[in-house]
Amino acid sequence: MFRALSDHRRRCLCHYLARRDGPMTVDELAELLAASMSEKTRAVVTSAEIEKTRAELHRMHLPKLTEAGIVEHDGEKGIVRLSDSTGLVDCLRAAAGVNLQ
């Protein structure tokens, strides 16, 4: 779990999901993450930045988080939710307080 959360973008993604307290679409997550990583607001992030982030989510981040049992990703519906994994919230809190970069 900690290896999957070692990447800042994956931790951000999990925190977005935890704050929502429910599922989010991959498109929503890509927009939020693109804005966060480029230090822009959602209103000014470009479609190219969002598309690049969406591709990274599908190619890298969602598979790692799914494999670790942290998120559940329904590829057909394009929905991501935090899993009901025991201790996940504690791990997210611990990871938030540590700079792993």
Side-chain angles (χ1 to χ4, degrees), residues 40-60:
K40 297 178 180 178
T41 65
R42 288 174 74 179
V44 297
V45 70
T46 68
S47 59
E49 290 169 317
I50 295 169
E51 187 55 41
K52 180 181 180 229
T53 303
R54 184 182 298 111
E56 290 172 353
L57 286 175
H58 283 294
R59 191 176 68 248
M60 289 186 294

Side-chain angles (χ1 to χ4, degrees), residues 29-96:
L29 289 167
E31 185 178 335
L32 284 167
L33 200 55
S36 174
M37 294 301 110
S38 63
E39 297 181 359
K40 297 178 180 178
T41 65
R42 288 174 74 179
V44 297
V45 70
T46 68
S47 59
E49 290 169 317
I50 295 169
E51 187 55 41
K52 180 181 180 229
T53 303
R54 184 182 298 111
E56 290 172 353
L57 286 175
H58 283 294
R59 191 176 68 248
M60 289 186 294
H61 303 304
L62 291 175
K64 287 188 186 266
L65 291 170
T66 301
E67 183 180 314
I70 297 171
V71 302
E72 298 169 4
H73 174 224
D74 183 334
E76 285 185 24
K77 294 181 181 176
I79 293 186
V80 181
R81 75 178 76 243
L82 283 178
S83 71
D84 293 332
S85 175
T86 330
L88 176 59
V89 173
D90 291 335
C91 286
L92 287 173
R93 280 192 201 116

